[in-house]
Amino acid sequence: RSRGLGDVYKRQIYTLVTQGTGAVLNIIFDPILIFGLFGLPRMEVAGAAVATVLGQIVAFILAMILNHRKNPDVRLHLRGFRPDWKLIGRILAIGVPSMIMVAIGSVMYYGMNLVLMRFEHVRVGLGEVGTAVFGAYYKLQSFIFMPVFGINNAALAIAAYNYGARKPKRILGVLKCGILGATALMVIGVAAFQLIPQVLLGLFNANADMLAVGDPALRTMSLAFVFAGACIIVGGVFQALGNSVYSMIVSIARQLVVLLPVAYLLSLSGNIDAVWFAFPIAEVASLAELGAEVRVTGTPERPFFCLTGDISRIDPGLAARFPAVEDVLRLTEPYPLCSRRLHPEPTVVSVGGA
């Protein structure tokens, strides 16, 4: 058993080698082909694309060689190959939602840039500064999310193995450990964004305007990290159990259905700092999975976000800590039918005539 696990760990190194080789070659080829170094033609933007393709081709060839020499359990032969359409359908049922989830990020990025460019009407140059800040944030948050996605990939594989082995307790253990590890990494990310936002923006040669807009932006958007870690792991386990459609629905709801409309509504206030709160709001909207529903009322200048349904597991103090939240009010008391408001007199229970 331990020998088998050792073989698995050793083979993971080959995956790192192949993917790392493609990335390193991409970095090397980029300046050579973009600027036309060493006598090669200057290709500019097209050179970056060619460098990426070359890196991927080399990585593919290396992966095939390593699989043939180091992975005796899987042998690829084209002779006698026949497509199994039923199996292909099952693969696509899991793979297509995953592909859509990857594309959602690009759509969200494009949509947010459109929202931020609206601030060009408020002040010339403000929209461009906003998009620059969001671009810097998107690159910075990838360093926090990458290790979380690594944990998610491991949790997905282990949960899938145990799902096939019908070991529900192990799947639950994977879910708990994955959420714990992801949340711990996210807390580190939140601390970095809260404590040194200007240092992080300095990596992008930020000017005074970018620092002024970016400081509150990074602090606000990073609040979403606390919730995002658990959402990623839960989505991964959904995929491991063959329910990737559920994971896709949650991602679409968080990144498109909630995030972009809320960002647009907040942009109507004319305050670019308000737009960044769309990110933690979108994460809080995932509380619908706990039995609560988020509704937006009021005006763009003074919006009200109402949680209805089962909110017994929601801490009101969490929302109150957001700087843009003026107040948090509970409109109805918990368990109203047995509260003192409806029944001020003491309850008397008769037992055996006593």
Side-chain angles (χ1 to χ4, degrees):
R1 184 177 177 181
S2 60
R3 180 180 177 182
L5 289 174
D7 291 340
V8 171
Y9 295 143
K10 288 180 181 178
R11 294 177 192 179
Q12 288 179 346
I13 299 298
Y14 302 137
T15 302
L16 175 64
V17 170
T18 55
Q19 294 184 355
T21 299
V24 171
L25 289 178
N26 190 4
I27 295 173
I28 294 174
F29 288 145
D30 266 340
I32 295 176
L33 297 178
I34 291 173
F35 302 108
L37 305 180
F38 306 112
L40 294 175
R42 182 186 178 94
M43 302 178 68
E44 297 184 348
V45 177
V50 173
T52 301
V53 173
L54 289 176
Q56 292 299 315
I57 290 175
V58 174
F60 168 73
I61 295 173
L62 181 60
M64 296 300 293
I65 294 173
L66 290 176
N67 181 76
H68 180 72
R69 294 185 176 181
K70 302 294 184 180
N71 191 11
D73 300 324
V74 178
R75 294 298 185 185
L76 300 177
H77 301 283
L78 295 179
R79 181 182 301 175
F81 176 78
R82 295 290 185 276
D84 185 339
W85 297 111
K86 184 177 181 180
L87 180 60
I88 292 175
R90 292 173 59 188
I91 293 173
L92 291 177
I94 297 176
V96 170
S98 300
M99 289 186 282
I100 294 175
M101 288 168 60
V102 174
I104 287 172
S106 299
V107 176
M108 182 274 293
Y109 189 90
Y110 175 72
M112 278 298 299
N113 281 335
L114 292 180
V115 172
L116 292 170
M117 286 304 297
R118 289 173 48 82
F119 286 93
E120 285 293 306
H121 301 292
V122 177
R123 193 183 79 209
V124 176
L126 182 59
E128 293 184 0
V129 172
T131 56
V133 167
F134 184 62
Y137 161 80
Y138 207 74
K139 293 178 176 65
L140 290 169
Q141 60 94 27
S142 65
F143 288 98
I144 307 300
F145 279 79
M146 276 193 294
V148 174
F149 283 123
I151 293 176
N152 179 61
N153 291 338
L156 190 155
I158 298 173
Y161 293 152
N162 285 283
Y163 179 63
R166 298 185 179 181
K167 302 285 187 181
K169 290 185 178 180
R170 290 186 179 180
I171 297 175
L172 185 60
V174 169
L175 182 61
K176 291 180 179 179
C177 292
I179 290 177
L180 181 62
T183 303
L185 290 172
M186 288 300 190
V187 169
I188 295 175
V190 172
F193 277 62
Q194 294 292 326
L195 296 176
I196 53 171
Q198 297 200 8
V199 174
L200 296 176
L201 290 170
L203 299 175
F204 300 89
N205 296 321
N207 55 26
D209 289 338
M210 188 172 174
L211 289 174
V213 174
D215 189 304
L218 263 60
R219 294 178 189 272
T220 302
M221 288 188 285
S222 64
L223 296 174
F225 291 177
V226 179
F227 308 98
C231 292
I232 291 172
I233 300 301
V234 171
V237 173
F238 271 142
Q239 291 178 272
L241 303 182
N243 295 321
S244 55
V245 174
Y246 296 153
S247 182
M248 178 189 69
I249 292 173
V250 172
S251 296
I252 292 175
R254 289 172 50 235
Q255 299 190 57
L256 297 182
V257 177
V258 177
L259 177 62
L260 293 182
V262 170
Y264 174 77
L265 288 174
L266 294 175
S267 72
L268 298 178
S269 67
N271 182 5
I272 195 171
D273 292 340
V275 174
W276 313 122
F277 283 96
F279 285 86
I281 289 172
E283 296 296 340
V284 172
S286 64
L287 294 173
E289 299 176 25
L290 298 177
E293 180 181 354
V294 180
R295 297 183 181 181
V296 183
T297 61
T299 63
E301 294 77 17
R302 190 178 175 84
F304 294 88
F305 297 88
C306 303
L307 287 178
T308 60
D310 180 11
I311 59 172
S312 59
R313 289 172 287 180
I314 300 174
D315 180 13
L318 182 63
R321 285 193 285 271
F322 292 162
V325 175
E326 180 178 340
D327 198 3
V328 178
L329 301 175
R330 185 182 291 273
L331 301 181
T332 59
E333 299 177 3
Y335 307 104
L337 295 180
C338 58
S339 65
R340 285 287 186 182
R341 184 171 59 85
L342 293 181
H343 301 280
E345 66 279 359
T347 300
V348 178
V349 180
S350 299
V351 179

